[in-house]
Amino acid sequence: MANGSVAEVRDALADVGYLADERAALVSYLARELGKPVLVEGPAGVGKTELAKALARATGRELVRLQCYEGLDESKAMYEWNYRKQLLRIQAGGAERGWENVQDDIFSSDFLLARPLMQAIASEDPVVLLIDEIDKTDQEFEAMLLELLSDFQITIPELGQVSATTMPIVVLTSNDSRELTEALKRRCLYLWLDYPELERELEIVRLHAPELAETLARRLVEVIRMVRDLDLKKPPSIAESIDWARTLLLMGAEDIDRETFEQSLSVLVKHRTDIDLVAERVGVKLAGPSAPAAG
Ligand SMILES: Nc1ncnc2c1ncn2[C@@H]1O[C@H](COP(=O)(O)OP(=O)(O)OP(=O)(O)O)[C@@H](O)[C@H]1O
Ligand SMILES: [Mg+2]
């Protein structure tokens, strides 16, 4: 993915198995050209994480991933002092060299344990940094990220600043489970990923399950869209479409009739109440092999 147009970025992503729409390709292109982080939001399973992975593959860069969770802090995300090594160093010869020397020594980079954010900044080769599910952390953690996101640097009180020598491509993802701060949003390009258009989803399904006949794949995507139109707790995402396609292949299904649908329903929806609703509203619309002929 050399310097190129949006279309080239889209093609480069397609070459590594990610079918981006126009907006996703544009934002990916801008991220690189403007050197700005991208915040990707959207429902579960629409390809947020995969976009970052695909960018890494397309650019031949290493993917450095920080999986966020509640309670994640600096020591797990950025860096930590290697206390054990520091202690050994002090024991191994503090007295004769003087405390000043030892102190300078033990707060040098040799005694630092780099966590993902520091690894991405300090890397000699440019990387793709994925900060996955940022909405799982708290606002303090977001505040801590601001310096990194705007200046690509990390300040360590005892050491000073560590600045990126190679520009990482930074992708943050969020499931929108809480509103992110304005300060964070301001520093990022924004991409809302949603369930794809029918034709794109068909392409994605065919890419992941190439053995599935085109007509069956099309039918699958149509039925998925009917299911999404219902008011479900958790509508099926692209991930479920792909799983369903593979399931139909394993079942040797030739059509999506009522029986096939009901047998494989739990691949699509994963809440008891959703299953009942879908069986009732969509299942009955499908012709069953044993369905009484209409009329
Ligand atoms: N545009 C696409 N092209 C090809 N495959 C895709 C695309 N979008 C999604 N997928 C596939 O869909 C699946 C789900 O994607 P992914 O894990 O990135 O979702 P997500 O948005 O990160 O979900 P979550 O919020 O649950 O983490 C993956 O297997 C991925 O390969
Ligand atoms: Mg994800």
mmCIF file of all heavy atoms in Angstrom, residues 216-257:
data_model
loop_
_atom_site.group_PDB
_atom_site.id
_atom_site.type_symbol
_atom_site.label_atom_id
_atom_site.label_comp_id
_atom_site.label_asym_id
_atom_site.label_seq_id
_atom_site.Cartn_x
_atom_site.Cartn_y
_atom_site.Cartn_z
ATOM 1 N N LEU A 216 -27.574 -19.629 -3.164
ATOM 2 C CA LEU A 216 -27.804 -19.915 -1.748
ATOM 3 C C LEU A 216 -27.226 -18.788 -0.885
ATOM 4 O O LEU A 216 -27.848 -18.354 0.095
ATOM 5 C CB LEU A 216 -27.155 -21.263 -1.391
ATOM 6 C CG LEU A 216 -27.478 -21.822 -0.014
ATOM 7 C CD1 LEU A 216 -28.982 -21.871 0.233
ATOM 8 C CD2 LEU A 216 -26.876 -23.210 0.159
ATOM 9 N N ALA A 217 -26.051 -18.302 -1.260
ATOM 10 C CA ALA A 217 -25.422 -17.201 -0.522
ATOM 11 C C ALA A 217 -26.313 -15.956 -0.562
ATOM 12 O O ALA A 217 -26.499 -15.269 0.440
ATOM 13 C CB ALA A 217 -24.042 -16.894 -1.102
ATOM 14 N N ARG A 218 -26.887 -15.711 -1.727
ATOM 15 C CA ARG A 218 -27.765 -14.538 -1.869
ATOM 16 C C ARG A 218 -29.002 -14.689 -0.993
ATOM 17 O O ARG A 218 -29.411 -13.764 -0.301
ATOM 18 C CB ARG A 218 -28.142 -14.355 -3.340
ATOM 19 C CG ARG A 218 -28.973 -13.107 -3.618
ATOM 20 C CD ARG A 218 -29.167 -12.894 -5.102
ATOM 21 N NE ARG A 218 -27.947 -12.478 -5.776
ATOM 22 C CZ ARG A 218 -27.511 -11.217 -5.833
ATOM 23 N NH1 ARG A 218 -28.176 -10.251 -5.228
ATOM 24 N NH2 ARG A 218 -26.401 -10.914 -6.469
ATOM 25 N N ARG A 219 -29.555 -15.885 -1.003
ATOM 26 C CA ARG A 219 -30.733 -16.163 -0.178
ATOM 27 C C ARG A 219 -30.390 -15.951 1.304
ATOM 28 O O ARG A 219 -31.148 -15.356 2.053
ATOM 29 C CB ARG A 219 -31.152 -17.625 -0.426
ATOM 30 C CG ARG A 219 -32.395 -18.033 0.271
ATOM 31 C CD ARG A 219 -33.628 -17.486 -0.440
ATOM 32 N NE ARG A 219 -34.833 -17.802 0.315
ATOM 33 C CZ ARG A 219 -35.687 -16.887 0.751
ATOM 34 N NH1 ARG A 219 -35.498 -15.614 0.505
ATOM 35 N NH2 ARG A 219 -36.758 -17.249 1.426
ATOM 36 N N LEU A 220 -29.219 -16.434 1.690
ATOM 37 C CA LEU A 220 -28.752 -16.309 3.074
ATOM 38 C C LEU A 220 -28.708 -14.841 3.494
ATOM 39 O O LEU A 220 -29.210 -14.460 4.545
ATOM 40 C CB LEU A 220 -27.362 -16.952 3.176
ATOM 41 C CG LEU A 220 -26.576 -16.890 4.483
ATOM 42 C CD1 LEU A 220 -25.627 -18.077 4.553
ATOM 43 C CD2 LEU A 220 -25.768 -15.623 4.638
ATOM 44 N N VAL A 221 -28.120 -14.030 2.637
ATOM 45 C CA VAL A 221 -27.987 -12.615 2.987
ATOM 46 C C VAL A 221 -29.360 -11.951 3.058
ATOM 47 O O VAL A 221 -29.624 -11.131 3.940
ATOM 48 C CB VAL A 221 -27.064 -11.895 1.978
ATOM 49 C CG1 VAL A 221 -27.019 -10.407 2.243
ATOM 50 C CG2 VAL A 221 -25.664 -12.483 2.048
ATOM 51 N N GLU A 222 -30.266 -12.357 2.175
ATOM 52 C CA GLU A 222 -31.628 -11.794 2.211
ATOM 53 C C GLU A 222 -32.325 -12.164 3.519
ATOM 54 O O GLU A 222 -32.977 -11.323 4.136
ATOM 55 C CB GLU A 222 -32.453 -12.313 1.018
ATOM 56 C CG GLU A 222 -32.073 -11.671 -0.303
ATOM 57 C CD GLU A 222 -32.655 -12.399 -1.522
ATOM 58 O OE1 GLU A 222 -33.387 -13.412 -1.331
ATOM 59 O OE2 GLU A 222 -32.363 -11.955 -2.643
ATOM 60 N N VAL A 223 -32.183 -13.435 3.921
ATOM 61 C CA VAL A 223 -32.843 -13.864 5.157
ATOM 62 C C VAL A 223 -32.226 -13.145 6.362
ATOM 63 O O VAL A 223 -32.928 -12.691 7.263
ATOM 64 C CB VAL A 223 -32.748 -15.402 5.323
ATOM 65 C CG1 VAL A 223 -33.295 -15.829 6.677
ATOM 66 C CG2 VAL A 223 -33.500 -16.110 4.204
ATOM 67 N N ILE A 224 -30.903 -13.024 6.359
ATOM 68 C CA ILE A 224 -30.225 -12.300 7.449
ATOM 69 C C ILE A 224 -30.788 -10.884 7.589
ATOM 70 O O ILE A 224 -31.024 -10.392 8.691
ATOM 71 C CB ILE A 224 -28.697 -12.214 7.160
ATOM 72 C CG1 ILE A 224 -28.028 -13.562 7.400
ATOM 73 C CG2 ILE A 224 -28.044 -11.133 7.989
ATOM 74 C CD1 ILE A 224 -27.548 -13.792 8.812
ATOM 75 N N ARG A 225 -31.041 -10.263 6.472
ATOM 76 C CA ARG A 225 -31.560 -8.894 6.520
ATOM 77 C C ARG A 225 -32.980 -8.869 7.074
ATOM 78 O O ARG A 225 -33.355 -7.941 7.790
ATOM 79 C CB ARG A 225 -31.496 -8.247 5.134
ATOM 80 C CG ARG A 225 -30.055 -8.065 4.672
ATOM 81 C CD ARG A 225 -29.974 -7.667 3.224
ATOM 82 N NE ARG A 225 -30.340 -6.276 3.034
ATOM 83 C CZ ARG A 225 -29.497 -5.262 3.202
ATOM 84 N NH1 ARG A 225 -28.262 -5.489 3.598
ATOM 85 N NH2 ARG A 225 -29.886 -4.035 3.010
ATOM 86 N N MET A 226 -33.759 -9.897 6.770
ATOM 87 C CA MET A 226 -35.096 -9.976 7.358
ATOM 88 C C MET A 226 -34.982 -10.106 8.871
ATOM 89 O O MET A 226 -35.733 -9.490 9.625
ATOM 90 C CB MET A 226 -35.843 -11.200 6.796
ATOM 91 C CG MET A 226 -36.500 -10.912 5.460
ATOM 92 S SD MET A 226 -37.009 -12.357 4.494
ATOM 93 C CE MET A 226 -37.646 -13.544 5.558
ATOM 94 N N VAL A 227 -34.021 -10.914 9.304
ATOM 95 C CA VAL A 227 -33.847 -11.129 10.742
ATOM 96 C C VAL A 227 -33.397 -9.824 11.424
ATOM 97 O O VAL A 227 -33.868 -9.463 12.498
ATOM 98 C CB VAL A 227 -32.819 -12.253 11.007
ATOM 99 C CG1 VAL A 227 -32.543 -12.393 12.496
ATOM 100 C CG2 VAL A 227 -33.314 -13.569 10.429
ATOM 101 N N ARG A 228 -32.524 -9.092 10.746
ATOM 102 C CA ARG A 228 -32.045 -7.823 11.319
ATOM 103 C C ARG A 228 -33.153 -6.792 11.465
ATOM 104 O O ARG A 228 -33.070 -5.916 12.315
ATOM 105 C CB ARG A 228 -30.959 -7.224 10.423
ATOM 106 C CG ARG A 228 -29.592 -7.711 10.792
ATOM 107 C CD ARG A 228 -28.505 -7.051 9.987
ATOM 108 N NE ARG A 228 -27.376 -7.960 9.919
ATOM 109 C CZ ARG A 228 -26.619 -8.129 8.845
ATOM 110 N NH1 ARG A 228 -26.827 -7.419 7.753
ATOM 111 N NH2 ARG A 228 -25.625 -8.989 8.877
ATOM 112 N N ASP A 229 -34.164 -6.912 10.615
ATOM 113 C CA ASP A 229 -35.259 -5.944 10.671
ATOM 114 C C ASP A 229 -36.136 -6.131 11.904
ATOM 115 O O ASP A 229 -36.897 -5.240 12.255
ATOM 116 C CB ASP A 229 -36.132 -6.057 9.407
ATOM 117 C CG ASP A 229 -35.491 -5.328 8.243
ATOM 118 O OD1 ASP A 229 -34.593 -4.497 8.499
ATOM 119 O OD2 ASP A 229 -35.878 -5.589 7.084
ATOM 120 N N LEU A 230 -36.037 -7.295 12.536
ATOM 121 C CA LEU A 230 -36.833 -7.519 13.746
ATOM 122 C C LEU A 230 -36.162 -6.780 14.896
ATOM 123 O O LEU A 230 -34.995 -6.436 14.840
ATOM 124 C CB LEU A 230 -36.897 -9.014 14.074
ATOM 125 C CG LEU A 230 -37.485 -9.912 12.991
ATOM 126 C CD1 LEU A 230 -37.345 -11.367 13.404
ATOM 127 C CD2 LEU A 230 -38.937 -9.559 12.750
ATOM 128 N N ASP A 231 -36.929 -6.572 15.941
ATOM 129 C CA ASP A 231 -36.399 -5.844 17.084
ATOM 130 C C ASP A 231 -35.753 -6.851 18.047
ATOM 131 O O ASP A 231 -36.375 -7.306 18.985
ATOM 132 C CB ASP A 231 -37.564 -5.095 17.748
ATOM 133 C CG ASP A 231 -37.052 -4.149 18.811
ATOM 134 O OD1 ASP A 231 -35.843 -3.825 18.784
ATOM 135 O OD2 ASP A 231 -37.850 -3.754 19.678
ATOM 136 N N LEU A 232 -34.508 -7.184 17.767
ATOM 137 C CA LEU A 232 -33.827 -8.224 18.542
ATOM 138 C C LEU A 232 -32.882 -7.628 19.571
ATOM 139 O O LEU A 232 -32.418 -6.506 19.425
ATOM 140 C CB LEU A 232 -33.019 -9.131 17.611
ATOM 141 C CG LEU A 232 -33.776 -9.911 16.541
ATOM 142 C CD1 LEU A 232 -32.814 -10.774 15.758
ATOM 143 C CD2 LEU A 232 -34.880 -10.747 17.161
ATOM 144 N N LYS A 233 -32.593 -8.418 20.595
ATOM 145 C CA LYS A 233 -31.584 -8.017 21.583
ATOM 146 C C LYS A 233 -30.239 -7.888 20.900
ATOM 147 O O LYS A 233 -29.483 -6.957 21.136
ATOM 148 C CB LYS A 233 -31.476 -9.100 22.666
ATOM 149 C CG LYS A 233 -32.275 -8.830 23.888
ATOM 150 C CD LYS A 233 -31.744 -9.690 25.033
ATOM 151 C CE LYS A 233 -32.647 -9.543 26.240
ATOM 152 N NZ LYS A 233 -32.801 -10.788 26.968
ATOM 153 N N LYS A 234 -29.912 -8.885 20.079
ATOM 154 C CA LYS A 234 -28.623 -8.883 19.403
ATOM 155 C C LYS A 234 -28.826 -9.357 17.964
ATOM 156 O O LYS A 234 -28.879 -10.543 17.697
ATOM 157 C CB LYS A 234 -27.663 -9.805 20.171
ATOM 158 C CG LYS A 234 -26.410 -10.243 19.437
ATOM 159 C CD LYS A 234 -25.361 -9.156 19.390
ATOM 160 C CE LYS A 234 -24.117 -9.620 18.650
ATOM 161 N NZ LYS A 234 -24.329 -9.817 17.209
ATOM 162 N N PRO A 235 -28.945 -8.404 17.046
ATOM 163 C CA PRO A 235 -29.144 -8.795 15.645
ATOM 164 C C PRO A 235 -27.903 -9.501 15.108
ATOM 165 O O PRO A 235 -26.795 -9.228 15.563
ATOM 166 C CB PRO A 235 -29.341 -7.455 14.918
ATOM 167 C CG PRO A 235 -29.428 -6.408 15.972
ATOM 168 C CD PRO A 235 -28.842 -6.962 17.221
ATOM 169 N N PRO A 236 -28.078 -10.405 14.150
ATOM 170 C CA PRO A 236 -26.914 -11.106 13.600
ATOM 171 C C PRO A 236 -26.013 -10.147 12.828
ATOM 172 O O PRO A 236 -26.495 -9.279 12.108
ATOM 173 C CB PRO A 236 -27.540 -12.148 12.669
ATOM 174 C CG PRO A 236 -28.907 -11.643 12.364
ATOM 175 C CD PRO A 236 -29.343 -10.840 13.538
ATOM 176 N N SER A 237 -24.706 -10.315 12.992
ATOM 177 C CA SER A 237 -23.745 -9.436 12.330
ATOM 178 C C SER A 237 -23.105 -10.181 11.166
ATOM 179 O O SER A 237 -23.496 -11.299 10.835
ATOM 180 C CB SER A 237 -22.667 -9.023 13.320
ATOM 181 O OG SER A 237 -21.916 -10.171 13.666
ATOM 182 N N ILE A 238 -22.082 -9.569 10.586
ATOM 183 C CA ILE A 238 -21.347 -10.225 9.499
ATOM 184 C C ILE A 238 -20.735 -11.533 10.004
ATOM 185 O O ILE A 238 -20.709 -12.535 9.300
ATOM 186 C CB ILE A 238 -20.226 -9.312 8.964
ATOM 187 C CG1 ILE A 238 -20.817 -7.986 8.492
ATOM 188 C CG2 ILE A 238 -19.463 -9.992 7.843
ATOM 189 C CD1 ILE A 238 -19.771 -7.012 8.004
ATOM 190 N N ALA A 239 -20.262 -11.493 11.243
ATOM 191 C CA ALA A 239 -19.665 -12.702 11.819
ATOM 192 C C ALA A 239 -20.666 -13.854 11.780
ATOM 193 O O ALA A 239 -20.321 -14.990 11.428
ATOM 194 C CB ALA A 239 -19.211 -12.422 13.252
ATOM 195 N N GLU A 240 -21.943 -13.565 12.117
ATOM 196 C CA GLU A 240 -22.971 -14.615 12.105
ATOM 197 C C GLU A 240 -23.297 -15.054 10.674
ATOM 198 O O GLU A 240 -23.536 -16.232 10.424
ATOM 199 C CB GLU A 240 -24.241 -14.149 12.829
ATOM 200 C CG GLU A 240 -24.197 -14.344 14.340
ATOM 201 C CD GLU A 240 -23.445 -13.253 15.068
ATOM 202 O OE1 GLU A 240 -23.361 -12.133 14.514
ATOM 203 O OE2 GLU A 240 -22.910 -13.515 16.161
ATOM 204 N N SER A 241 -23.304 -14.094 9.744
ATOM 205 C CA SER A 241 -23.557 -14.466 8.334
ATOM 206 C C SER A 241 -22.513 -15.472 7.864
ATOM 207 O O SER A 241 -22.838 -16.461 7.206
ATOM 208 C CB SER A 241 -23.484 -13.243 7.415
ATOM 209 O OG SER A 241 -24.389 -12.270 7.818
ATOM 210 N N ILE A 242 -21.264 -15.195 8.200
ATOM 211 C CA ILE A 242 -20.175 -16.083 7.780
ATOM 212 C C ILE A 242 -20.326 -17.459 8.441
ATOM 213 O O ILE A 242 -20.217 -18.494 7.783
ATOM 214 C CB ILE A 242 -18.806 -15.454 8.126
ATOM 215 C CG1 ILE A 242 -18.596 -14.168 7.314
ATOM 216 C CG2 ILE A 242 -17.674 -16.438 7.866
ATOM 217 C CD1 ILE A 242 -17.391 -13.349 7.751
ATOM 218 N N ASP A 243 -20.600 -17.443 9.738
ATOM 219 C CA ASP A 243 -20.788 -18.719 10.448
ATOM 220 C C ASP A 243 -21.946 -19.511 9.850
ATOM 221 O O ASP A 243 -21.874 -20.735 9.727
ATOM 222 C CB ASP A 243 -21.087 -18.467 11.941
ATOM 223 C CG ASP A 243 -19.837 -18.084 12.709
ATOM 224 O OD1 ASP A 243 -18.727 -18.290 12.171
ATOM 225 O OD2 ASP A 243 -19.964 -17.570 13.833
ATOM 226 N N TRP A 244 -22.998 -18.799 9.512
ATOM 227 C CA TRP A 244 -24.170 -19.481 8.968
ATOM 228 C C TRP A 244 -23.840 -20.096 7.605
ATOM 229 O O TRP A 244 -24.223 -21.231 7.316
ATOM 230 C CB TRP A 244 -25.352 -18.515 8.871
ATOM 231 C CG TRP A 244 -26.671 -19.224 8.723
ATOM 232 C CD1 TRP A 244 -26.969 -20.493 9.141
ATOM 233 C CD2 TRP A 244 -27.845 -18.707 8.107
ATOM 234 N NE1 TRP A 244 -28.276 -20.797 8.827
ATOM 235 C CE2 TRP A 244 -28.839 -19.710 8.194
ATOM 236 C CE3 TRP A 244 -28.170 -17.491 7.508
ATOM 237 C CZ2 TRP A 244 -30.130 -19.539 7.700
ATOM 238 C CZ3 TRP A 244 -29.458 -17.309 7.009
ATOM 239 C CH2 TRP A 244 -30.428 -18.329 7.102
ATOM 240 N N ALA A 245 -23.115 -19.338 6.790
ATOM 241 C CA ALA A 245 -22.725 -19.852 5.473
ATOM 242 C C ALA A 245 -21.943 -21.151 5.630
ATOM 243 O O ALA A 245 -22.191 -22.145 4.947
ATOM 244 C CB ALA A 245 -21.893 -18.808 4.736
ATOM 245 N N ARG A 246 -20.996 -21.156 6.573
ATOM 246 C CA ARG A 246 -20.181 -22.359 6.780
ATOM 247 C C ARG A 246 -21.021 -23.508 7.329
ATOM 248 O O ARG A 246 -20.802 -24.675 6.997
ATOM 249 C CB ARG A 246 -19.022 -22.043 7.725
ATOM 250 C CG ARG A 246 -18.026 -21.108 7.054
ATOM 251 C CD ARG A 246 -16.881 -20.737 7.960
ATOM 252 N NE ARG A 246 -15.901 -19.917 7.241
ATOM 253 C CZ ARG A 246 -15.086 -19.048 7.818
ATOM 254 N NH1 ARG A 246 -15.114 -18.871 9.123
ATOM 255 N NH2 ARG A 246 -14.230 -18.355 7.091
ATOM 256 N N THR A 247 -21.995 -23.150 8.175
ATOM 257 C CA THR A 247 -22.886 -24.171 8.730
ATOM 258 C C THR A 247 -23.710 -24.817 7.622
ATOM 259 O O THR A 247 -23.856 -26.043 7.562
ATOM 260 C CB THR A 247 -23.830 -23.542 9.780
ATOM 261 O OG1 THR A 247 -23.022 -22.905 10.770
ATOM 262 C CG2 THR A 247 -24.703 -24.593 10.445
ATOM 263 N N LEU A 248 -24.249 -23.982 6.734
ATOM 264 C CA LEU A 248 -25.065 -24.517 5.630
ATOM 265 C C LEU A 248 -24.238 -25.450 4.759
ATOM 266 O O LEU A 248 -24.728 -26.485 4.300
ATOM 267 C CB LEU A 248 -25.637 -23.370 4.793
ATOM 268 C CG LEU A 248 -26.689 -22.500 5.487
ATOM 269 C CD1 LEU A 248 -27.163 -21.390 4.558
ATOM 270 C CD2 LEU A 248 -27.881 -23.343 5.967
ATOM 271 N N LEU A 249 -22.978 -25.094 4.558
ATOM 272 C CA LEU A 249 -22.088 -25.960 3.786
ATOM 273 C C LEU A 249 -21.934 -27.311 4.457
ATOM 274 O O LEU A 249 -22.041 -28.365 3.834
ATOM 275 C CB LEU A 249 -20.708 -25.311 3.646
ATOM 276 C CG LEU A 249 -20.496 -24.359 2.473
ATOM 277 C CD1 LEU A 249 -19.117 -23.733 2.566
ATOM 278 C CD2 LEU A 249 -20.657 -25.101 1.147
ATOM 279 N N LEU A 250 -21.692 -27.265 5.777
ATOM 280 C CA LEU A 250 -21.514 -28.514 6.526
ATOM 281 C C LEU A 250 -22.778 -29.358 6.520
ATOM 282 O O LEU A 250 -22.728 -30.586 6.482
ATOM 283 C CB LEU A 250 -21.106 -28.206 7.973
ATOM 284 C CG LEU A 250 -19.673 -27.702 8.165
ATOM 285 C CD1 LEU A 250 -19.435 -27.312 9.611
ATOM 286 C CD2 LEU A 250 -18.678 -28.784 7.739
ATOM 287 N N MET A 251 -23.922 -28.679 6.550
ATOM 288 C CA MET A 251 -25.197 -29.393 6.548
ATOM 289 C C MET A 251 -25.536 -29.927 5.159
ATOM 290 O O MET A 251 -26.491 -30.680 4.992
ATOM 291 C CB MET A 251 -26.338 -28.463 7.004
ATOM 292 C CG MET A 251 -26.285 -28.073 8.473
ATOM 293 S SD MET A 251 -27.453 -26.736 8.860
ATOM 294 C CE MET A 251 -29.017 -27.597 8.785
ATOM 295 N N GLY A 252 -24.790 -29.475 4.164
ATOM 296 C CA GLY A 252 -25.089 -29.882 2.791
ATOM 297 C C GLY A 252 -26.411 -29.327 2.296
ATOM 298 O O GLY A 252 -27.068 -29.922 1.446
ATOM 299 N N ALA A 253 -26.791 -28.175 2.835
ATOM 300 C CA ALA A 253 -28.092 -27.594 2.465
ATOM 301 C C ALA A 253 -28.072 -27.097 1.029
ATOM 302 O O ALA A 253 -27.057 -26.590 0.560
ATOM 303 C CB ALA A 253 -28.423 -26.444 3.409
ATOM 304 N N GLU A 254 -29.195 -27.283 0.359
ATOM 305 C CA GLU A 254 -29.288 -26.786 -1.017
ATOM 306 C C GLU A 254 -30.195 -25.584 -1.110
ATOM 307 O O GLU A 254 -30.175 -24.827 -2.076
ATOM 308 C CB GLU A 254 -29.773 -27.905 -1.943
ATOM 309 C CG GLU A 254 -28.633 -28.827 -2.286
ATOM 310 C CD GLU A 254 -29.059 -30.109 -2.953
ATOM 311 O OE1 GLU A 254 -30.251 -30.233 -3.315
ATOM 312 O OE2 GLU A 254 -28.198 -30.991 -3.103
ATOM 313 N N ASP A 255 -30.976 -25.414 -0.068
ATOM 314 C CA ASP A 255 -31.883 -24.271 -0.039
ATOM 315 C C ASP A 255 -32.102 -23.921 1.427
ATOM 316 O O ASP A 255 -31.832 -24.728 2.316
ATOM 317 C CB ASP A 255 -33.208 -24.651 -0.725
ATOM 318 C CG ASP A 255 -34.104 -23.424 -0.867
ATOM 319 O OD1 ASP A 255 -33.583 -22.290 -0.790
ATOM 320 O OD2 ASP A 255 -35.336 -23.615 -1.035
ATOM 321 N N ILE A 256 -32.574 -22.697 1.674
ATOM 322 C CA ILE A 256 -32.900 -22.354 3.057
ATOM 323 C C ILE A 256 -34.408 -22.513 3.233
ATOM 324 O O ILE A 256 -35.176 -21.575 3.046
ATOM 325 C CB ILE A 256 -32.441 -20.918 3.383
ATOM 326 C CG1 ILE A 256 -30.928 -20.802 3.145
ATOM 327 C CG2 ILE A 256 -32.763 -20.573 4.836
ATOM 328 C CD1 ILE A 256 -30.364 -19.424 3.384
ATOM 329 N N ASP A 257 -34.810 -23.730 3.535
ATOM 330 C CA ASP A 257 -36.231 -23.924 3.814
ATOM 331 C C ASP A 257 -36.444 -23.834 5.321
ATOM 332 O O ASP A 257 -35.501 -23.627 6.077
ATOM 333 C CB ASP A 257 -36.722 -25.273 3.256
ATOM 334 C CG ASP A 257 -35.857 -26.422 3.754
ATOM 335 O OD1 ASP A 257 -35.348 -26.332 4.891
ATOM 336 O OD2 ASP A 257 -35.685 -27.408 3.004
#
